[in-house]
Amino acid sequence: MCGIIGIISSKESKKLSEITISALKRLEYRGYDSVGVASLGSKGIEVRKAKGTVEQVTLKKKIPEMSGYIFLGHTRWATHGAPTDYNAHPHTDCSGRIAVIHNGTIKNFKELRAELESLGHKFSSETDTEVIPHLIEEFIKRGMDSFTAFKSAIKSLDGSYAVLAIIDGEKRIFFAKRDNPLVIGLGEGENYIASDIPAFLPYTKRILVISDGEIGFLTNTNVYIEELNGNVVDVHKRIRIVDWDVETASKEGYAHFMIKEIHESPKAVRDTISSLMSDLDVVEKICEEIRQAERVIITGAGTSYHAGLYFSLLLTREGITSIPLIASEYYNVKGKKGDLIIAISQSGETIDVLQAIRKLKSEGAKVVSITNVIESAIARESDYKIYMRAGPEIGVAATKTFTTQVASLLFLYSYTFGKDWKALKDADKEVEQAINATEGFAKRVGEELAKKQNIYYLGRGLSLPLAMEGALKIKEVSYVHAESYPAGESKHGPISLVENGFPVVFINDGEMPELLKNNVMEMKARGGKIYVISANRKVGEADLEIFLNSKFPALSISPVIQLIAYYAAVSKGLDPDKPRNLAKTVTVE
């Protein structure tokens, strides 16, 4: 759950420090409890690091004064060892001639550390990462050249990783990848390698995605990649041009990425539907798999699980045996031949989803993936893949990616069962109208909810996954405790907490307004303050109800619940882009 950046140039200069800092700022959504930079130049390796944000550490450690022809940068989200100066990356070997940054988890680091300490190596942190530079150092001591030592170190690791390493005397950045994202940017006289494309987007749009199990090195003019078995990869076949521009990955004048990305939802939905309509051959194959499957198991985590639950309900209503599966609970389901797995992940790197599809696929299931990142790990391990076209999402809380997940799933549902899938070409207009019509309402509701300690989000049928997502969003970014229940279930316990002024948000997609009205009256009778987000048919009796006309209620309601959460956070003076204890991509179990 960390952001990493490597830059290599033909010339030694302080300019690379400025590029590294700017790249780390664009990667800070991946982790922000500590920051570090290593440079390699004529005077050897220098490391400066500390606990804090990129801006804080840059000033404290005077990062712009560093010079070199190679720079590594790291922004951390702690998994092994508390957020401290000494646990910050980069980590070095005993001599200080090797520096490493790492995103992931090394499962066997305790055993490796004990073995290295028995050989005389001295450790200065609590992290799992620190074993890597010491392993490289040990293998070099045994007579290996730098690259062979690096490969031997990587082969010693059991776990997940995206690793960058530099060695004094080498004008190369060594890299290796397993289960964590790593992408190369090809420049003119300079090359880049990072966790995510926006890190180097201002400098190049030519990219090369590194696949799992690959290892290699980067110079300022060349890239060398081989598989762990030694087969050399033809990198020229991998190069592609991204169509994002710098502004796409910046705030564009918005106060936060979260609000910017909510307002980007209409375009994201339009691009996603357009992409699906242009790839109907693949869509038809996936839909036929759904029709023929004995069971459809839909798995995701967090927001992606809620989108999957929505789809699962649609399938169940059509007589399909569908199992919604929280990805981290994958061990509770045994796969078999005839199963179809639909794996949903914004990043395409979510470790719980990866583990789920690997287990179920090994037991005979086929896999369909829906991700927002081309050539991500989950997509590569799938039999069929659908790519959302939401563009980069920097805010930690999923917004436009949730809306495009729902759009993708609605398209699959409509095409599978002969519904009017062509109508979805205008879905972006409904999303845009919903944002324009409700932002003032959402601001008011968000500001009121931010003052509360507890909230219920209630829904029935297809509204329930949306209520669950609404509760998750406001928890994530405003730190107000919110729980979601089926509205009818609220009578079986939860209603006991309702008292005068207790806020209850009802999600009404127009299916069952009369039943929801009964639940509204039950809550009001106990003093609850009632907010309703309705599409097509009103509930009535609410303290405040917003009404939307929509062919696709889930798509119209999604940005409304996101806006409420955003304005709740902002009204409390919080930064919704960086909610505490959370990171954008969960790549550890």
Side-chain angles (χ1 to χ4, degrees):
M1 309 260 243
C2 305
I4 61 178
I5 176 70
I7 307 167
I8 183 166
S9 178
S10 60
K11 298 179 181 179
E12 182 169 346
S13 72
K14 292 183 179 179
K15 176 190 172 186
L16 296 191
S17 67
E18 297 172 5
I19 297 174
T20 303
I21 292 165
S22 67
L24 286 173
K25 287 180 178 177
R26 284 185 290 277
L27 289 171
E28 201 166 14
Y29 68 93
R30 297 183 63 86
Y32 35 83
D33 60 40
S34 60
V35 174
V37 173
S39 63
L40 173 56
S42 57
K43 296 181 180 179
I45 290 176
E46 180 184 8
V47 173
R48 301 187 187 186
K49 60 183 184 177
K51 177 182 178 181
T53 65
V54 173
E55 186 172 355
Q56 290 167 342
V57 176
T58 297
L59 292 172
K60 180 180 179 181
K61 293 296 181 178
K62 300 180 180 179
I63 304 297
E65 295 180 0
M66 298 175 71
S67 181
Y69 46 79
I70 300 178
F71 269 76
L72 300 183
H74 188 277
T75 182
R76 182 175 186 247
W77 191 85
T79 56
H80 288 81
T84 63
D85 290 358
Y86 58 83
N87 281 331
H89 297 215
H91 291 289
T92 60
D93 67 324
C94 296
S95 68
R97 296 186 63 251
I98 302 168
V100 168
I101 56 178
H102 164 231
N103 173 32
T105 303
I106 307 303
K107 295 180 180 179
N108 62 335
F109 86 97
K110 290 182 179 178
E111 295 86 348
L112 291 171
R113 178 167 176 155
E115 181 181 353
L116 288 162
E117 286 177 330
S118 72
L119 295 171
H121 290 262
K122 304 296 182 184
F123 285 74
S124 58
S125 80
E126 303 163 339
T127 69
D128 54 345
T129 301
E130 197 181 355
V131 300
I132 302 173
H134 288 283
L135 283 169
I136 298 169
E137 178 187 26
E138 182 62 31
F139 287 123
I140 289 175
K141 284 181 180 178
R142 298 178 187 180
M144 296 182 187
D145 64 79
S146 297
F147 187 40
T148 303
F150 178 73
K151 289 193 288 185
S152 298
I154 296 301
K155 288 178 181 178
S156 302
L157 306 179
D158 177 16
S160 61
Y161 49 78
V163 175
L164 302 185
I166 55 175
I167 301 173
D168 191 13
E170 294 275 0
K171 291 191 174 182
R172 296 186 284 182
I173 298 175
F174 302 97
F175 61 80
K177 177 194 183 306
R178 180 191 291 167
D179 293 337
N180 286 275
L182 206 54
V183 60
I184 291 170
L186 301 170
E188 297 294 333
E190 292 178 355
N191 282 327
Y192 312 85
I193 184 166
S195 302
D196 205 354
I197 294 168
F200 51 70
L201 196 55
Y203 313 106
T204 183
K205 293 185 179 182
R206 297 175 67 229
I207 72 160
L208 192 159
V209 177
I210 303 164
S211 298
D212 268 1
E214 292 182 342
I215 193 165
F217 57 82
L218 193 67
T219 71
N220 67 299
T221 57
N222 295 301
V223 178
Y224 175 84
I225 302 176
E226 64 180 49
E227 298 169 347
L228 281 178
N229 60 13
N231 292 335
V232 178
V233 174
D234 184 351
V235 299
H236 298 289
K237 293 181 179 179
R238 293 263 192 95
I239 298 171
R240 65 184 183 88
I241 310 298
V242 296
D243 56 4
W244 303 346
D245 54 26
V246 177
E247 289 73 23
T248 304
S250 68
K251 293 181 183 176
E252 296 182 352
Y254 286 96
H256 301 94
F257 281 113
M258 184 176 178
I259 187 65
K260 170 182 175 286
E261 288 159 359
I262 293 171
H263 279 269
E264 288 175 343
S265 296
K267 181 180 184 302
V269 168
R270 181 171 64 251
D271 291 346
T272 294
I273 297 300
S274 176
S275 175
L276 290 167
M277 287 184 168
S278 66
D279 204 10
L280 288 179
D281 288 346
V282 173
V283 170
E284 173 57 40
K285 291 176 182 176
I286 293 171
C287 293
E288 185 60 26
E289 292 285 357
I290 292 172
R291 297 184 197 107
Q292 298 298 321
E294 292 186 22
R295 302 186 302 179
V296 179
I297 301 170
I298 305 171
T299 189
T303 285
S304 297
Y305 171 74
H306 297 155
L309 177 59
Y310 182 85
F311 188 54
S312 181
L313 292 174
L314 288 172
L315 295 186
T316 300
R317 291 180 176 197
E318 298 292 340
I320 301 290
T321 300
S322 178
I323 301 173
L325 175 63
I326 295 173
S328 59
E329 295 290 305
Y330 66 88
Y331 39 76
N332 289 319
V333 175
K334 184 173 179 60
K336 60 182 181 181
K337 188 175 180 180
D339 285 345
L340 181 68
I341 313 305
I342 297 182
I344 308 171
S345 168
Q346 180 277 136
S347 68
E349 304 285 345
T350 309
I351 192 64
D352 294 328
V353 180
L354 269 172
Q355 298 282 37
I357 66 174
R358 286 169 178 170
K359 174 184 181 293
L360 296 169
K361 191 174 182 179
S362 72
E363 294 167 341
K366 291 184 179 179
V367 179
V368 175
S369 63
I370 300 176
T371 75
N372 192 42
V373 180
I374 294 173
E375 298 177 53
S376 59
I378 290 171
R380 289 197 302 274
E381 296 192 23
S382 301
D383 299 288
Y384 306 95
K385 60 200 74 173
I386 287 175
Y387 293 120
M388 300 177 290
R389 304 292 177 175
E393 186 174 69
I394 308 302
V396 168
T399 52
K400 63 178 178 176
T401 52
F402 173 73
T403 309
T404 53
Q405 284 173 349
V406 173
S408 301
L409 294 165
L410 276 171
F411 191 93
L412 282 183
Y413 166 73
S414 299
Y415 199 93
T416 301
F417 298 103
K419 312 293 183 182
D420 186 10
W421 54 270
K422 292 182 180 179
L424 280 158
K425 71 179 186 300
D426 294 322
D428 62 295
K429 297 182 179 67
E430 295 200 4
V431 177
E432 186 170 16
Q433 289 169 0
I435 293 171
N436 293 337
T438 65
E439 189 152 9
F441 162 85
K443 185 173 184 292
R444 175 182 168 184
V445 174
E447 290 172 350
E448 290 184 11
L449 294 181
K451 299 173 183 176
K452 304 296 184 177
Q453 292 184 317
N454 300 286
I455 309 167
Y456 282 156
Y457 276 71
L458 305 181
R460 284 179 177 265
L462 294 173
S463 295
L464 177 59
L466 300 174
M468 295 169 70
E469 178 62 12
L472 175 64
K473 277 293 159 287
I474 204 160
K475 277 188 286 197
E476 282 181 315
V477 299
S478 74
Y479 316 146
V480 177
H481 177 247
E483 292 296 333
S484 177
Y485 294 94
E489 184 70 9
S490 64
K491 299 189 294 291
H492 299 277
I495 200 170
S496 66
L497 297 182
V498 177
E499 57 187 359
N500 190 43
F502 191 106
V504 185
V505 180
F506 282 86
I507 308 298
N508 166 36
D509 69 350
E511 277 196 314
M512 306 177 217
E514 293 304 319
L515 285 173
L516 281 175
K517 185 175 181 178
N518 293 337
N519 300 129
V520 167
M521 298 303 293
E522 291 164 353
M523 294 293 172
K524 284 194 75 172
R526 288 152 180 85
K529 183 165 185 180
I530 311 302
Y531 305 88
V532 181
I533 304 168
S534 289
N536 302 327
R537 298 169 67 190
K538 288 187 176 182
V539 169
E541 304 296 336
D543 294 286
L544 189 59
E545 182 171 11
I546 189 69
F547 179 73
L548 299 163
N549 278 309
S550 178
K551 291 181 182 177
F552 308 103
L555 295 180
S556 296
I557 291 170
S558 294
V560 182
I561 57 179
Q562 295 161 5
L563 287 166
I564 289 172
Y566 171 77
Y567 283 110
V570 170
S571 72
K572 295 178 71 172
L574 301 171
D575 183 351
D577 292 341
K578 301 173 185 176
R580 67 190 180 201
N581 302 330
L582 298 177
K584 185 65 178 173
T585 306
V586 179
T587 54
V588 294
E589 294 179 80

